[in-house]
Amino acid sequence: MNLELKGTLIKVLELQSGTSKAGKEWVKQSFVLDTGAKYNPEVCFNLFGQQKVDMLLEFSAGDNVQVLFNLSSREYKGNYYTSADVWQMALDVNDQANNASDDNFNGTTPADMPF
């Protein structure tokens, strides 16, 4: 199941890297979105692999973004751990449209309008 969430990028965590048991190098980076929800608005997402980590270079703290991700859970010693792994990110196009319409507003107030 593919999931989608929009929010404001508020924090990029440190890049993590290592070597797997099979001897392959890996990189992982996490970031936090503020979804604006009333309860528990912050969600931490993971980018795994250099190609995915590089996607984050296009964004800055304060950007409103849309993420497409998968949820997965793993069991370890009787406890379950859940990850939100991003596979695609983009600027929130609805937010861009709202900003563009604000730019075109030119300071006109409702009282200035002829109707």
Side-chain angles (χ1 to χ4, degrees):
M1 172 183 352
N2 296 324
L3 302 170
E4 173 186 333
L5 196 62
K6 296 178 183 181
T8 303
L9 178 62
I10 59 171
K11 189 183 297 185
V12 176
L13 304 177
E14 288 189 36
L15 182 70
Q16 299 176 356
S17 62
T19 305
S20 71
K21 289 180 183 178
K24 294 185 179 184
E25 298 292 320
W26 59 266
V27 293
K28 173 185 168 184
Q29 189 149 29
S30 299
F31 64 94
V32 180
L33 285 188
D34 182 342
T35 64
K38 185 175 180 177
Y39 300 106
N40 302 320
E42 294 180 357
V43 179
C44 184
F45 291 94
N46 302 311
L47 297 163
F48 194 79
Q50 192 63 55
Q51 184 177 4
K52 299 278 193 302
V53 168
D54 288 347
M55 288 190 309
L56 197 54
L57 297 174
E58 300 176 29
F59 307 98
S60 302
D63 285 348
N64 290 322
V65 296
Q66 170 188 27
V67 295
L68 300 175
F69 63 100
N70 296 320
L71 287 177
S72 61
S73 296
R74 289 178 216 53
E75 184 269 338
Y76 180 71
K77 295 185 178 180
N79 294 313
Y80 282 85
Y81 300 89
T82 301
S83 296
D85 299 317
V86 173
W87 53 273
Q88 186 175 357
M89 288 179 73
L91 285 174
D92 182 0
V93 291
N94 290 333
D95 182 61
Q96 287 178 328
N98 289 339
N99 287 341
S101 65
D102 288 347
D103 292 342
N104 294 329
F105 191 59
N106 297 327
T108 305
T109 65
D112 296 333
M113 296 187 182
F115 48 89

